[in-house]
Amino acid sequence: MKRDKNGYFQFASLQSDYAQQQLTQAGYKTSDFDSVVLMENGKFYFRSTAALKVAKQLNGLWPLLYVFIILPPFIRNAIYNFIARNRYKWFGKRDTCRIATPEEKSRFID
């Protein structure tokens, strides 16, 4: 949210009724997801593709990462999975979550 200054994205938990309904209607098994899912213009993107499409919309230098979309998905997803497995070791884990402001709360669906 901090890097999405234009408010392009809205958010929903994968466990939310909204996300479960959208994925089911699109023919996906909702129990198969434990990672980022992006729904954009009615189309779903998963793992590294979703992350790169998100980066493309952010402010700053993040859109430069989109160049990696040229790599085959099996390579991108392997890198994505490696980062996901190690993120707490590298970046730490907080004991509490930050409380969303009222403006940020309005971007959550469900």
Side-chain angles (χ1 to χ4, degrees), residues 59-103:
N59 295 328
L61 298 176
W62 294 100
L64 296 176
L65 291 174
Y66 194 72
V67 71
F68 293 108
I69 201 78
I70 65 171
L71 294 175
F74 77 93
I75 294 173
R76 284 189 278 117
N77 287 332
I79 295 167
Y80 177 91
N81 292 337
F82 177 75
I83 292 169
R85 274 192 312 272
N86 292 288
R87 71 184 183 273
Y88 292 134
K89 183 174 21 173
W90 297 336
F91 305 111
K93 186 174 183 179
R94 295 198 171 126
D95 292 331
T96 60
C97 294
R98 185 175 64 82
I99 304 297
T101 66
E103 181 182 290

Side-chain angles (χ1 to χ4, degrees), residues 6-104:
N6 298 325
Y8 184 82
F9 295 105
Q10 292 184 306
F11 305 90
S13 163
L14 282 174
Q15 296 80 21
S16 71
D17 291 338
Y18 176 81
Q20 294 287 306
Q21 179 185 16
Q22 294 298 314
L23 289 165
T24 301
Q25 285 178 353
Y28 294 105
K29 236 176 102 177
T30 59
S31 61
D32 290 345
F33 301 105
D34 62 354
S35 181
V36 64
V37 176
L38 172 66
M39 184 176 80
E40 187 176 51
N41 299 321
K43 187 168 180 184
F44 289 88
Y45 303 95
F46 308 97
R47 296 190 178 269
S48 65
T49 304
L52 290 172
K53 285 188 164 286
V54 167
K56 185 178 179 182
Q57 297 297 329
L58 299 179
N59 295 328
L61 298 176
W62 294 100
L64 296 176
L65 291 174
Y66 194 72
V67 71
F68 293 108
I69 201 78
I70 65 171
L71 294 175
F74 77 93
I75 294 173
R76 284 189 278 117
N77 287 332
I79 295 167
Y80 177 91
N81 292 337
F82 177 75
I83 292 169
R85 274 192 312 272
N86 292 288
R87 71 184 183 273
Y88 292 134
K89 183 174 21 173
W90 297 336
F91 305 111
K93 186 174 183 179
R94 295 198 171 126
D95 292 331
T96 60
C97 294
R98 185 175 64 82
I99 304 297
T101 66
E103 181 182 290
E104 291 170 336

